[in-house]
Amino acid sequence: MARMKYEELIRKMTLEEKASLMSGKDFWQSQNLERLGIFSMFLADGPHGIRRQAVGSDQMGLNAGIPATCYPTEATVANSWNEDLGERVGSYLGLEAVAQKVHVLLGPGLNMKRNPLCGRNFEYFSEDPYLAGKLAAAYVRGIQSHGVSACVKHFCAKNQEERAMSIDVVVDERALREIYLTAFEIAVKEGRTRSLMTSYNKLNGTYTNENKHILQEILRGEWGYEGAVISDWGGSNDRVAGLEAGNDLEMPSNDGETDREIVLAVQNGVLDESILDRRVDNLLDLIFFTGKLEDKSRFNFDVEKHHRISQKMAEESIVLLKNEDAILPIRYDKKVAVIGEFAKTARYQGSGSSRVNPTILDNTLECFDESGIRIIDYAPGYKRYGRKSGKLKREACELAAGADIVLLYLGLDEATETQGLDRESMSLPANQIDLLEAVYEVNSSIVVCLSSGSAIEMPWIGKVKGLLHGYLGGQAGARAILRVLSGDVNPSGKLAETYPLKYEDVPSAGNFPGREVTAEYRESLFIGYRYYDTAGIAVLFPFGYGLSYTEFEYSDLRINDNGISFDLANVGKAAGMEIAQMYIHCCSDAIFRPYKELKGFKKVFINPGEVKNITIPFDDISFRYFNTLTNGWEIEEGDYEILVGASSADIRLKASMHRKGTDAPVPYRKEDLPSYFEGKAAHIGDEEFEQLLGRPLPPSNWDRKRDLGYNDTISQCRYARGVAGRLTYWIIVFLHWYLKRIGRRNEANLIMMSVYHMPFRGIARMTGGSVSMAMVDGMLLIVNGRFFRGLFKLWKEWRTNSSK
Ligand code: BGC
């Protein structure tokens, strides 16, 4: 075991002092130890801007942070497929972190987009671990170049918001490694992140924050991670188990309650003090890396400049999805009607912990003059939060009738894409679709400008000629879209996720968001294009798809053992950027796999008439697969096809090569896993999934015979034995329903985020010590039917807690 860096300093600490460092000082800061020159670090969200709260602390984005540049969200930047751009985003984030005295920036988020309905997809990069990992590593390098730390999150397999703090993710080891861990591996090895946040959920039965398999064997063991491990806010369950597994800091503060548990565990011989020392050592390394941030000359940043830069980032990330009759770019002589509430009040980021208080906020209507697009007027057309309005629709149609082109701003609202809640469907709000259909009746030259951070269904696509997806472009996103519409910028983004034709086609649709206790990842490796491609399911827009105002031609593919090269020509009239993608297909069928997987990409700028030679190297990920028999990465000997394309469905060049293997035994028998071998992974039965897992499925439903415990959520009070418990449940449900009904969706969401899906332990872990675990015991007695005993305990513990 490596020597500790701060051994001497740690030797000077008392047991209590060491334990005190293991949890927050308050909601955002780590504990300090003045006596030994150990200062507090400030940790702040992330991931697409700094959310340093000045007054009022919460992890749901309720209280505004100090103004900071709101850059495009990760889901947006992912469409740029540009690692340099990612590094630049990171670098500007790092600069602003320093300016706001933030030592640890809580991002980037690199969970996989397993299902399009996950409420936080807008905060994540992609459905592909290679692309997500490369971009995350770039962010990390950029952030850390300013001497502050990135904090990659949420480690790992956090792919839904519902019951996020209690759900047990059941996933087979190979999918865990190849899909859910690979992006983290790249961010750790290539980005060298200094800190990492564990997720809220359980993984195969154990909370990730207590999971030795991922924290010790994989993260520190296999990947050689030397940074610190931080819990998600309120995500620490059993403090001592977490510490033993590898957690170095619990956030936020619980007023020392769990520090005392650590001290007791050491005193009782339950926890070896040397383990605590190691955790303190890791944390000190992070503290001293980030430094004191006292150089005041760095406390300012050029607000206007950062705004412009964030516009550039958005410009490179916009995706042109449809351009019939070359309706775009819009010519100067066209009369344009602008319709849609989002044109007036921009939709530019999601809700929850990532919500940034922007320094400046562009909106479309204010930017038209400089765009050169001639607008005749604006009409809102629909109500933002889904309510119907015949009047708004009529006014919009009247306006549309007199225009050459209708620019229709549609998308999801911020109450739909949020932490704490998954989307209910993949569709746009019905009032927006109604509007589109009505406008189409009076004018069929429609260009839709879409704002949303995740995939949506588009049964209406036939009614629009142009479709530009701005995703969530940050505070300058509105202007960026106009620059693409006007042709000042040639669009160069490509989708980092697949758009299926309908939700039912999504391979995890039947298992999302899981049952009450578990979320079973039955589709295994087959998420996103890996599934559609292999199972032969038609999609609306494939992974890697995006149009340009010019055309590119691919030719002359050459392969050697180290990689490929080919020529890329711009054969159109406009200068532009192309994203060339390299996929690898294994010709053998001894081991089941997706038909092809992304293993390299390059974004290049090419002038009209110019030809560039592109090289893409192979790397240690290119040919590997995870073998569950050898418990390691192996290469299967055989022929491989190297596919080069403009999208996952538009392969332009192909060549074959033979690769020597690592001679590992084949881990599967085809007859045991027929659906996986056929890639038909959408409806896997219990038996086949158990075969893949190598163990019986854990119970997925609530056990009605047992009492509610620390890790049961408030929503599970519906099963409570005590009337008070059930009543609480119904009051919450009613409140939620009522708030939604009267159109107060944000407030309704808040109930889901802060109460409904919160496990009982969260009441103590999130309240900074005002509620102790012993008080939670009292609450549990009440909901479990021992009302008076519980009430007495609650009162007694409350008195003890308040007299501390
Ligand atoms: C979120 C994290 C965030 C933290 C602090 C949690 O609820 O899951 O992503 O960094 O709060 O706001």
Side-chain angles (χ1 to χ4, degrees):
M1 206 178 259
R3 243 191 110 236
M4 293 198 303
K5 253 190 174 167
Y6 299 94
E7 205 165 339
E8 252 174 62
L9 189 57
I10 295 172
R11 229 181 286 134
K12 293 185 191 142
M13 296 179 192
T14 64
L15 173 60
E16 285 72 14
E17 282 175 333
K18 288 188 240 179
S20 77
L21 292 173
M22 294 287 93
S23 66
K25 171 181 175 169
D26 56 28
F27 205 81
W28 296 118
Q29 298 190 80
S30 66
Q31 190 59 265
N32 55 331
L33 249 181
E34 294 276 311
R35 175 177 91 75
L36 297 173
I38 298 167
F39 50 88
S40 289
M41 293 181 296
F42 199 98
L43 302 90
D45 286 302
H48 57 269
I50 314 295
R51 185 176 69 105
R52 182 178 169 134
Q53 290 181 312
V55 277
S57 302
D58 66 83
Q59 89 291 7
M60 291 169 288
L62 301 180
N63 295 291
I66 300 169
T69 315
C70 177
Y71 296 98
T73 73
E74 284 177 15
T76 315
V77 177
N79 297 328
S80 77
W81 294 58
N82 186 341
E83 290 171 73
D84 289 341
L85 185 82
E87 196 160 328
R88 245 184 307 141
V89 179
S91 175
Y92 277 90
L93 285 168
L95 244 165
E96 291 191 34
V98 174
Q100 294 206 14
K101 279 191 155 194
V102 166
H103 302 78
V104 180
L105 178 61
L106 303 173
L110 35 151
N111 297 97
M112 287 298 100
K113 297 195 185 193
R114 172 179 177 244
N115 185 291
L117 300 187
C118 169
R120 282 180 92 171
N121 273 356
F122 71 91
E123 275 190 72
Y124 305 142
F125 292 108
S126 178
E127 67 187 24
D128 182 85
Y130 190 82
L131 179 58
K134 290 286 175 183
L135 288 168
Y139 267 59
V140 172
R141 286 193 295 270
I143 293 169
Q144 296 189 165
S145 66
H146 295 278
V148 292
S149 174
C151 183
V152 298
K153 65 189 187 183
H154 311 87
F155 189 69
C156 63
K158 177 180 199 286
N159 309 99
Q160 66 189 57
E161 287 303 294
E162 245 188 80
R163 298 184 294 284
M165 294 181 85
S166 62
I167 199 82
D168 183 8
V169 168
V170 181
V171 60
D172 68 283
E173 184 69 18
R174 182 164 166 219
L176 176 68
R177 302 292 196 122
E178 293 186 19
I179 305 294
Y180 297 100
L181 287 178
T182 294
F184 286 99
E185 181 184 352
I186 300 173
V188 165
K189 289 185 178 166
E190 291 178 22
R192 308 196 73 79
T193 183
R194 292 273 179 166
S195 70
L196 167 145
M197 185 192 288
T198 50
S199 54
Y200 281 136
N201 51 287
K202 287 182 188 158
L203 174 69
N204 291 325
T206 311
Y207 276 104
T208 57
N209 194 50
E210 294 161 18
N211 197 311
K212 291 190 179 161
H213 179 48
I214 57 165
L215 294 181
Q216 282 177 18
E217 290 163 15
I218 299 177
L219 178 66
R220 294 212 189 267
E222 291 177 25
W223 303 347
Y225 179 64
E226 290 178 350
V229 173
I230 303 173
S231 77
D232 197 349
W233 267 235
S236 168
N237 165 50
D238 178 331
R239 183 63 191 108
V240 175
L243 195 97
E244 271 194 299
N247 173 285
D248 304 303
L249 175 64
E250 173 187 359
M251 285 302 287
S253 159
N254 50 55
D255 202 21
E257 184 171 31
T258 51
D259 303 342
R260 291 189 284 280
E261 287 172 22
I262 295 174
V263 171
L264 264 180
V266 172
Q267 286 168 345
N268 298 339
V270 175
L271 177 72
D272 193 331
E273 193 165 347
S274 66
I275 295 181
L276 174 61
D277 290 350
R278 280 215 165 258
R279 303 293 171 257
V280 174
D281 194 54
N282 291 336
L283 186 70
L284 290 180
D285 203 30
L286 179 65
I287 294 178
F288 293 129
F289 164 75
T290 57
K292 257 189 150 169
L293 294 186
E294 272 181 346
D295 174 2
K296 295 213 172 44
S297 63
R298 299 167 73 197
F299 290 171
N300 284 316
F301 65 93
D302 182 339
V303 169
E304 185 64 34
K305 179 177 160 204
H306 285 213
H307 181 68
R308 291 277 162 247
I309 302 243
S310 102
Q311 178 190 322
K312 292 276 162 228
M313 293 164 180
E315 284 171 6
E316 228 199 272
S317 310
I318 290 166
V319 195
L320 177 61
L321 290 173
K322 188 171 179 187
N323 197 11
E324 213 174 280
D325 306 335
I327 192 167
L328 294 176
I330 296 175
R331 292 207 323 263
Y332 295 121
D333 57 350
K334 298 284 179 197
K335 287 185 293 171
V336 176
V338 180
I339 297 175
E341 222 271 331
F342 291 157
K344 187 149 181 255
T345 313
R347 174 73 220 291
Y348 64 104
Q349 65 173 331
S351 301
S353 62
S354 67
R355 198 158 93 192
V356 177
N357 182 10
T359 52
I360 302 172
L361 184 54
D362 288 344
N363 76 55
T364 307
L365 293 182
E366 282 168 10
C367 301
F368 263 111
D369 280 352
E370 69 201 68
S371 74
I373 296 173
R374 197 150 61 92
I375 64 165
I376 50 172
D377 210 344
Y378 159 77
Y382 57 85
K383 295 213 164 172
R384 194 176 189 91
Y385 297 110
R387 301 200 109 188
K388 297 216 160 156
S389 166
K391 182 169 166 277
L392 291 183
K393 191 160 77 177
R394 267 194 311 281
E395 285 167 5
C397 289
E398 274 163 28
L399 176 61
D404 297 324
I405 292 178
V406 179
L407 271 185
L408 197 51
Y409 280 77
L410 305 178
L412 301 174
D413 61 62
E414 49 285 328
T416 304
E417 291 188 286
T418 175
Q419 177 173 346
L421 212 69
D422 297 313
R423 279 193 291 156
E424 282 165 15
S425 83
M426 270 185 75
S427 133
L428 277 182
N431 64 346
Q432 294 188 23
I433 301 178
D434 272 5
L435 171 71
L436 191 155
E437 280 165 358
V439 168
Y440 178 74
E441 294 303 319
V442 296
N443 189 335
S444 62
S445 289
I446 301 175
V447 174
V448 165
C449 299
L450 212 54
S451 301
S452 75
S454 41
I456 54 175
E457 284 168 359
M458 302 182 196
W460 40 262
I461 185 92
K463 297 199 165 142
V464 309
K465 288 200 168 150
L467 178 60
L468 201 65
H469 202 335
Y471 267 71
L472 301 177
Q475 62 181 51
R479 184 180 260 115
I481 289 182
L482 284 181
R483 302 234 318 143
V484 174
L485 289 172
S486 69
D488 288 341
V489 169
N490 187 354
S492 64
K494 296 201 181 195
L495 294 175
E497 62 189 318
T498 310
Y499 278 56
L501 281 165
K502 52 186 190 313
Y503 181 64
E504 293 69 38
D505 292 342
V506 174
S508 54
N511 301 302
F512 184 90
R515 305 232 185 105
E516 202 124 340
V517 182
T518 62
E520 295 167 350
Y521 288 23
R522 293 187 182 220
E523 72 287 352
S524 183
L525 308 173
F526 298 96
I527 73 165
Y529 71 90
R530 283 172 166 73
Y531 167 70
Y532 304 113
D533 222 21
T534 316
I537 307 285
V539 299
L540 176 62
F541 295 119
F543 174 77
Y545 177 81
L547 301 170
S548 162
Y549 294 151
T550 189
E551 301 272 325
F552 298 97
E553 243 173 47
Y554 291 66
S555 63
D556 208 11
L557 174 60
R558 268 167 277 178
I559 305 189
N560 63 34
D561 280 352
N562 303 320
I564 61 166
S565 78
F566 54 94
D567 286 343
L568 196 54
N570 182 343
V571 295
K573 292 199 177 68
M577 284 191 269
E578 170 68 330
I579 299 162
Q581 301 154 41
M582 175 179 80
Y583 296 86
I584 298 186
H585 161 69
C586 175
C587 302
S588 151
D589 65 353
I591 293 162
F592 73 81
R593 308 175 187 244
Y595 180 77
K596 63 176 182 288
E597 294 179 284
L598 181 79
K599 300 291 179 169
F601 57 90
K602 203 152 238 172
K603 186 164 195 178
V604 265
F605 175 85
I606 315 184
N607 278 314
E610 195 188 357
V611 182
K612 278 196 175 157
N613 185 258
I614 313 296
T615 56
I616 302 181
F618 297 137
D619 58 25
D620 56 341
I621 295 180
S622 303
F623 297 95
R624 73 178 196 181
Y625 74 95
F626 191 81
N627 186 309
T628 45
L629 280 184
T630 62
N631 194 33
W633 295 100
E634 306 287 353
I635 294 175
E636 184 182 355
E637 168 137 19
D639 291 337
Y640 289 84
E641 254 182 356
I642 313 298
L643 313 165
V644 179
S647 86
S648 63
D650 183 7
I651 299 302
R652 307 281 182 91
L653 304 170
K654 257 187 208 181
S656 298
M657 69 184 298
H658 187 83
R659 198 83 190 178
K660 280 224 148 324
T662 47
D663 272 341
V666 173
Y668 310 112
R669 291 186 335 159
K670 275 189 198 158
E671 56 274 31
D672 292 339
L673 304 167
S675 317
Y676 292 109
F677 273 87
E678 283 169 37
K680 303 242 155 64
H683 305 285
I684 303 283
D686 288 0
E687 210 178 304
E688 198 173 344
F689 188 43
E690 287 184 342
Q691 280 288 350
L692 181 69
L693 282 177
R695 61 190 161 93
L697 278 171
S700 55
N701 288 323
W702 175 261
D703 172 6
R704 282 171 179 267
K705 283 191 230 90
R706 68 175 179 82
D707 277 352
L708 286 156
Y710 289 146
N711 289 328
D712 297 315
T713 59
I714 311 291
S715 68
Q716 280 157 335
C717 278
R718 92 179 77 160
Y719 306 117
R721 279 189 229 287
V723 181
R726 293 198 302 277
L727 198 65
T728 311
Y729 169 77
W730 287 113
I731 291 174
I732 293 169
V733 170
F734 172 76
L735 258 177
H736 179 252
W737 170 83
Y738 179 72
L739 286 168
K740 254 177 105 171
R741 208 187 139 80
I742 60 170
R744 308 210 19 199
R745 295 226 344 258
N746 282 319
E747 286 84 351
N749 284 353
L750 200 64
I751 292 187
M752 299 313 260
M753 284 158 74
S754 57
V755 187
Y756 195 77
H757 292 309
M758 172 77 75
F760 277 89
R761 93 180 117 80
I763 305 175
R765 296 286 189 252
M766 296 283 223
T767 44
S770 4
V771 177
S772 66
M773 264 328 228
M775 286 164 72
V776 174
D777 286 335
M779 294 176 196
L780 282 169
L781 281 172
I782 296 176
V783 296
N784 286 324
R786 265 92 63 197
F787 186 80
F788 291 106
R789 251 183 77 196
L791 202 61
F792 178 68
K793 173 134 183 103
L794 189 59
W795 173 76
K796 203 177 92 194
E797 298 300 344
W798 170 73
R799 286 194 41 177
T800 317
N801 203 41
S802 18
S803 62
K804 265 199 331 249

